[in-house]
Structure formats: C-alpha cells, structure tokens
Amino acid sequence: MDDGCRPVLPTSDCEPGTMALVGETSCRDVASCGEGTWGDIPAGVDDEHVDGEYTGGASDGSADHPWTTIAEAIAAAAPGAIVAIAAGDYVEDLFVHAKADLQIWGRCPGMVSLSGLVATEQPAAIFITDEAPGTTVRSLAITGPKRGLMTVAQDTLLERVWIHDTERQGIFATDLIGTSAGLTLRDSLVEKTVSTAVFVAGSAGVVERSVVRDTLELDGELGRGVYVDRSVRSDAT
C-alpha cells in the first residue's frame, strides 16, 4: 500500500518556456500574448512604448513613435508609469533607479526576451536599486550571461516572467546596503539557471503559483531551487 499523496501533473515533462502547476494536467505558456502590438498591456497617459523593430525615427515613447530600447523608455518614464514592450529580442542591461512603482511590462514571455550584456559591470540583466521601491517586472523572458534580475529595493514584484538559461542565479534579492529588500515571484517559470534559481538573503521572499526547475550546478555544487534567509546579508559576488 502506498503512503502519501500523488500530485496531479502532466504525464510528460513540459517543454522549455511552458509550465504546469500542481493540479494542472497539461503544459501551458507562462502568459497569454493577447492581440496587437501591445497585447494586454493597459493603456495609460504616462506609458512609454518600446518596439525594437521600429524604424520611423523621432522616437518619443508614444505608440506611434516608440523607443527602440527598453533602457531609453526607463530613462524617460515617470515614477509609476508603464514601460510597454512590443515583441522582440532586446540585448541590453536595464538599470532601474529613482523610479518608484515603475512597471516594466512585456507583451508576453514567448515574444519579448531580454538578454543582458557581457562586457559590463552590472551584476544582472535587470538591476533595481534601493531608490526604486515597488518596481514590477511583468510578462517577459530574461536570459543571458549573468544573473537574470537583482534587486535591493523594497516590494519588487515579478509576475508572469520566464527566467531561463542564465549563467548565474536567476533572481538575486538582498539587503546588501541595509534596505530591507522584499521580493514576490508570482505565476512565473524559472529554469536552467545556475547555482540558485531564486536567492533571497536578508530580505523577505514570497513565491506564489510558480515553477522552479532544472537548476544547474556551480563549481561541483548541486543547484538549489529556492533559498530564502531573512537573517543573512549577502554580498553580490
């Protein structure tokens, strides 16, 4: 007689970029792509639009004349604004500073991919400083040659993101400078990152309705899925 419970899951492993929570019997995309250039991203008067394929010039962040890089849109955005990102592969580092409650919102992870740069000192493809509390990153994929996202800010939210194939941790949250950082990961997929998929030290961490899998080893040490320790302050090495 078997003891314990048998989880309800798909009968075969999900393909990269797809996921299933316990209780779901088929694999699915992380998020819907919606219709049109901006999908289901809500329209607002302060939105800054990004489309890497736009060639019309005179970029001003409007839907008709979008920026061609996400970094330009972040620099132009007001606190609390939405940076709306059209489909494309964006190879750049994002630095979020002095922008409280900013929302970085892609059309969907299957169509919007951010890959950090190799030859920079920034520790992650997205770095959120302590002067950007309440930052939200939503509905895009993050990959590349270093960490996916690092935050030292309070109340960082990652929602419907696909973080994959990074060469260091997928997500790294810490109170490195005594900021009491906090991170929530929701409705997301983190796979094939290195060392630790979700690393939270000296901070509050919440993981909801998300899948973490296939974390790779580093220097012979087995990979870890989720590490949370509010009592430990960690450096960024």
Side-chain angles (χ1 to χ4, degrees), residues 113-126:
S113 179
L114 171 71
S115 179
L117 299 171
V118 175
T120 66
E121 295 183 358
Q122 185 163 302
I126 302 177

Side-chain angles (χ1 to χ4, degrees), residues 18-48:
T18 65
M19 60 183 279
L21 301 177
V22 174
E24 296 178 336
T25 57
S26 61
C27 300
R28 57 175 173 81
D29 294 333
V30 177
S32 169
C33 294
E35 301 294 334
T37 303
W38 316 108
D40 297 327
I41 304 173
V45 295
D46 293 329
D47 288 3
E48 297 288 342

Side-chain angles (χ1 to χ4, degrees), residues 54-118:
Y54 174 69
T55 58
S59 294
D60 58 12
S62 65
D64 291 331
H65 300 281
W67 305 108
T68 58
T69 69
I70 305 171
E72 288 175 303
I74 291 174
I82 293 175
V83 173
I85 310 168
D89 295 324
Y90 298 86
V91 182
E92 52 182 305
D93 284 342
L94 304 184
F95 182 69
V96 186
H97 177 72
K99 304 279 184 176
D101 301 317
L102 186 71
Q103 299 185 62
I104 302 171
W105 197 324
R107 179 173 173 181
C108 65
M111 299 181 73
V112 179
S113 179
L114 171 71
S115 179
L117 299 171
V118 175

Side-chain angles (χ1 to χ4, degrees), residues 2-213:
D2 294 336
D3 294 327
C5 300
R6 294 184 179 180
V8 175
L9 289 168
T11 56
S12 59
D13 293 342
C14 292
E15 294 293 322
T18 65
M19 60 183 279
L21 301 177
V22 174
E24 296 178 336
T25 57
S26 61
C27 300
R28 57 175 173 81
D29 294 333
V30 177
S32 169
C33 294
E35 301 294 334
T37 303
W38 316 108
D40 297 327
I41 304 173
V45 295
D46 293 329
D47 288 3
E48 297 288 342
H49 296 81
V50 184
D51 187 345
E53 297 184 357
Y54 174 69
T55 58
S59 294
D60 58 12
S62 65
D64 291 331
H65 300 281
W67 305 108
T68 58
T69 69
I70 305 171
E72 288 175 303
I74 291 174
I82 293 175
V83 173
I85 310 168
D89 295 324
Y90 298 86
V91 182
E92 52 182 305
D93 284 342
L94 304 184
F95 182 69
V96 186
H97 177 72
K99 304 279 184 176
D101 301 317
L102 186 71
Q103 299 185 62
I104 302 171
W105 197 324
R107 179 173 173 181
C108 65
M111 299 181 73
V112 179
S113 179
L114 171 71
S115 179
L117 299 171
V118 175
T120 66
E121 295 183 358
Q122 185 163 302
I126 302 177
F127 179 55
I128 303 170
T129 78
D130 61 308
E131 294 189 35
T135 297
T136 295
V137 180
R138 182 179 283 123
S139 294
L140 75 165
I142 305 171
T143 186
K146 45 193 170 185
R147 295 181 180 93
L149 179 141
M150 179 175 175
T151 180
V152 295
Q154 296 179 357
D155 302 323
T156 300
L157 170 63
L158 306 183
E159 188 171 45
R160 301 193 299 274
V161 298
W162 173 31
I163 299 178
H164 66 100
D165 296 284
T166 60
E167 294 186 13
R168 294 296 299 274
Q169 298 96 341
I171 301 167
F172 190 97
T174 181
D175 72 338
L176 179 63
I177 52 178
T179 56
S180 298
L183 172 81
T184 297
L185 177 69
R186 180 181 299 149
D187 298 320
S188 296
L189 170 61
V190 185
E191 62 178 335
K192 292 187 177 179
T193 58
V194 172
S195 176
T196 307
V198 182
F199 185 96
V200 183
S203 307
V206 177
V207 178
E208 300 176 337
R209 301 187 302 273
S210 296
V211 174
V212 175
R213 67 185 182 220

